[in-house]
Amino acid sequence: MTLLKMEDWYDLARETNWTPGYVSEEALYPSPMSNDYGIPVETWEGFDEPYKVSYRDYVRSQRDKDVAAYSVKAALARSDFFKNASPHWKALLALHFSGVCWAEFHSASAFARMTRFSRCPGMRNMATFGTLDEIRHGQIQIYFAYEFLKHDAVFDWCHKSSKTENWIIISLRHALDDIAHTRDATSTAVMLNMGLEQSFTNLQFVALSADAAKCGDHSFATMLQSIQTDEARHAQIGEPLVRILCENGRKQEAQQMVEISFWRMWKQFSALSGIGMDYYTPLEHRECSLKEFMEEWVIGQFGRTIEALGLDLPWYWEFLKHDIATFHHAQQIGIYVYRATQWWRPIASVSPAERAWLEEKYPGWNDTYGKCWDVIIENIRNGDYDKTVPVPPPLICNMCGLEVSGIAGGEWQAVDHFVDLDERRFHFCSEPCKWIFELEPARYKGHRSIIDRAFDGTIGPDMDDFYTYMGQSPEERGVCGYDYQWIDGYETPPTAAAAE
Ligand code: MN
Ligand code: MN
């Protein structure tokens, strides 16, 4: 018996909408879970996924990807690689795995919601594969990460981090909860697929994979590629959905969902990929700067994609072009100086050669962020390690949960964007973070940043209370990844040189 070709049966097989006989439509697709935006179900049935795959073919290709990734790993005796890896790469692996493993695994829940509650049969089909993808991404990454546990307890955080109240984790969890875990299936699909997967995962998986291959970390590179090919497939859920919304009078809603989710994810990727690419990747293996990747893949490619779908560029697009060259440099300083609040060993990555690269990629870096590092270097040189750690806590944005920062040096123009509501003041790092809050204050105002919690008594008064609250035993508090040796490249202290 010959098998039918997929194109001969696919459309018929996915026609799985029927009229329920035992329950009402509303009971089967309750609107808090299945927001149809007032668009008739026949229109939703027109959802046509650009990438069609049968279950048989899906399983075959996923198995091939797993075999490739796991066999490269087995062949390369990865533990030796880790022992010899630089503190740069170790910091990057720790940051990636502890931020990404559980986020991927939790994504399965968002896709399962799309599978169950979408009104589009084609989307339910794709989301089923998406659910399986995300389970695999959680599992394969935690498996690869855990191999290092015997060398370094920091990898415990690949699993543990999501369950803690560490401030960086609060920031990431708040953003992902907002776009992926607390909205109906339609909105989640637009926000997760357009605002995260189609726009940003390339940064963390294609760009990082290229850097990993250059560093000789081939098993990490192969694994990252196997993940991104899945993301690129299931992210395509977003496009037909946005098209249906735009063509049926719901452009404004679609536009707003993309603007919220894209901004929230940009803040997260700016810290994760920005620091990963421009600081943690060893200099000799860097492919491109964050700014270059963002200009090509996000400002360029993603911008063209959303315009082609009938949306406008987000209102903050010009500000974004500025933010891609600035925000993560300030965050890197914050991450290094508040290093004890991280579970990994952060590195400064501002040796003279690295600074030359930063200055080339971000003209003016030395006169701005470099000036902050000059002070840190001077203090380390004098043995004043305590002075490299600020005493006051930072101001934390009540939306993104990251530090409110500005451009250091002569271009300093930090602005505290704020909203006064319910007898308190909410602080924001930027106009877009504030704008998101003001769209739905009731949704966001109950969240308390780590700093709010320190002042409202949730966290005890001692520094140890603070670390205990964040799940960090004394051994789990970050220290300089190079034990301050990175300043050896500075022959003469900058200020001493000026005084001579
Ligand atoms: Mn994934
Ligand atoms: Mn995904």
Side-chain angles (χ1 to χ4, degrees):
M1 195 179 88
T2 52
L3 284 173
L4 284 172
K5 288 193 188 116
M6 191 178 78
E7 53 266 35
D8 295 332
W9 56 261
Y10 187 90
D11 286 346
L12 178 66
R14 74 170 167 174
E15 272 178 31
T16 51
N17 271 2
W18 60 84
T19 309
Y22 297 99
V23 293
S24 65
E25 282 279 337
E26 172 61 22
L28 190 55
Y29 293 105
S31 46
M33 301 300 276
S34 308
N35 188 351
D36 64 6
Y37 285 89
I39 298 170
V41 68
E42 299 74 41
T43 308
W44 288 117
E45 284 170 354
F47 176 104
D48 192 27
E49 59 278 32
Y51 190 102
K52 295 179 173 64
V53 63
S54 69
Y55 185 72
R56 178 198 296 264
D57 290 338
Y58 173 82
V59 170
R60 186 181 295 132
S61 71
Q62 296 306 93
R63 193 193 57 185
D64 290 348
K65 285 185 203 176
D66 265 0
V67 166
Y70 285 99
S71 54
V72 169
K73 174 174 178 289
L76 287 177
R78 193 161 154 73
S79 49
D80 286 339
F81 174 86
F82 186 79
K83 273 188 228 160
N84 300 324
S86 69
H88 275 70
W89 197 247
K90 288 177 181 173
L92 188 140
L93 289 172
L95 179 57
H96 171 89
F97 281 124
S98 46
V100 170
C101 287
W102 57 266
E104 297 261 30
F105 196 67
H106 291 182
S107 259
S109 152
F111 277 92
R113 191 166 345 108
M114 298 176 216
T115 302
R116 168 61 182 82
F117 292 105
S118 171
R119 304 311 314 273
C120 324
M123 177 175 146
R124 294 201 295 264
N125 223 19
M126 283 197 88
T128 305
F129 297 132
T131 310
L132 296 171
D133 288 342
E134 302 299 6
I135 293 171
R136 188 178 82 87
H137 300 171
Q139 289 174 340
I140 192 171
Q141 291 188 90
I142 223 154
Y143 184 75
F144 273 57
Y146 266 20
E147 187 182 7
F148 304 139
L149 253 183
K150 56 182 175 284
H151 303 294
D152 193 340
V154 80
F155 288 92
D156 198 21
W157 280 68
C158 300
H159 198 282
K160 172 180 172 174
S161 65
S162 74
K163 317 293 189 300
T164 72
E165 299 297 329
N166 175 276
W167 72 278
I168 294 168
I169 297 304
I170 292 174
S171 160
L172 178 57
R173 208 168 45 207
H174 185 281
L176 291 171
D177 282 356
D178 189 12
I179 72 158
H181 300 301
T182 53
R183 297 182 192 254
D184 67 274
T186 313
S187 311
T188 298
V190 172
M191 296 177 94
L192 179 57
N193 295 139
M194 299 299 297
L196 195 174
E197 305 196 307
Q198 201 158 10
S199 42
F200 287 117
T201 57
N202 274 327
L203 283 185
Q204 191 64 13
F205 292 98
V206 178
L208 186 57
S209 171
D211 286 341
K214 279 184 155 186
C215 286
D217 196 345
H218 296 289
S219 44
F220 190 49
T222 311
M223 184 205 70
L224 292 169
Q225 282 163 14
S226 94
I227 290 173
Q228 185 52 21
T229 50
D230 292 353
E231 300 293 351
R233 168 175 33 74
H234 65 235
Q236 293 181 29
I237 286 175
E239 290 195 16
L241 212 47
V242 169
R243 209 171 278 123
I244 289 173
L245 287 164
C246 287
E247 287 169 2
N248 292 276
R250 297 295 183 180
K251 174 181 169 179
Q252 199 187 335
E253 287 87 341
Q255 180 77 31
Q256 187 170 300
M257 286 190 265
V258 170
E259 288 181 352
I260 294 171
S261 55
F262 177 89
W263 183 259
R264 301 229 53 187
M265 286 301 115
W266 155 243
K267 289 284 105 172
Q268 293 299 318
F269 274 87
S270 135
L272 177 68
S273 308
I275 291 175
M277 283 178 190
D278 287 354
Y279 292 92
Y280 286 8
T281 299
L283 182 59
E284 62 275 23
H285 301 308
R286 282 181 204 166
E287 179 86 14
C288 285
S289 67
L290 175 79
K291 179 167 174 276
E292 288 164 340
F293 273 123
M294 282 294 293
E295 280 171 347
E296 182 182 344
W297 285 352
V298 181
I299 307 265
Q301 281 186 32
F302 182 69
R304 285 191 293 276
T305 298
I306 57 178
E307 286 189 303
L309 286 172
L311 294 176
D312 303 321
L313 293 174
W315 62 267
Y316 47 71
W317 211 241
E318 287 307 310
F319 177 66
L320 173 73
K321 289 177 186 169
H322 170 77
D323 217 37
I324 61 173
T326 51
F327 186 73
H328 67 294
H329 295 306
Q331 298 303 311
Q332 160 69 355
I333 296 171
I335 290 285
Y336 184 76
V337 297
Y338 290 109
R339 52 196 170 276
T341 68
Q342 286 115 60
W343 55 90
W344 73 94
R345 287 178 295 281
I347 55 170
S349 204
V350 288
S351 66
E354 289 168 314
R355 284 175 80 132
W357 184 88
L358 286 161
E359 181 65 32
E360 182 200 324
K361 298 293 183 185
Y362 300 92
W365 186 95
N366 271 317
D367 279 338
T368 53
Y369 304 102
K371 287 189 171 164
C372 292
W373 287 107
D374 288 343
V375 176
I376 296 167
I377 290 161
E378 181 71 6
N379 284 326
I380 294 173
R381 186 171 287 283
N382 294 335
D384 291 331
Y385 301 114
D386 287 350
K387 282 192 188 169
T388 66
V389 182
V391 176
L395 186 59
I396 294 285
C397 174
N398 279 110
M399 180 55 63
C400 69
L402 299 171
E403 280 181 70
V404 176
S405 58
I407 301 175
E411 291 185 47
W412 178 255
Q413 41 174 284
V415 180
D416 176 22
H417 304 267
F418 63 85
V419 171
D420 289 326
L421 181 73
D422 291 353
E423 294 173 12
R424 66 157 293 190
R425 179 160 286 191
F426 294 87
H427 302 277
F428 303 98
C429 70
S430 57
E431 204 51 46
C433 276
K434 179 186 167 194
W435 171 77
I436 293 169
F437 183 90
E438 288 185 304
L439 287 173
E440 271 184 284
R443 178 177 177 82
Y444 300 110
K445 70 180 183 182
H447 175 76
R448 306 190 80 71
S449 76
I450 189 82
I451 301 300
D452 296 334
R453 299 178 204 190
F455 286 108
D456 72 8
T458 305
I459 305 173
D462 299 330
M463 275 319 283
D464 269 348
D465 296 332
F466 186 67
Y467 291 111
T468 303
Y469 181 80
M470 293 200 296
Q472 292 176 271
S473 68
E475 291 72 29
E476 293 171 289
R477 298 172 197 172
V479 292
C480 175
Y482 278 93
D483 196 21
Y484 306 114
Q485 301 301 311
W486 58 271
I487 66 152
D488 290 353
Y490 290 91
E491 293 299 330
T492 316
T495 47
E500 273 162 13

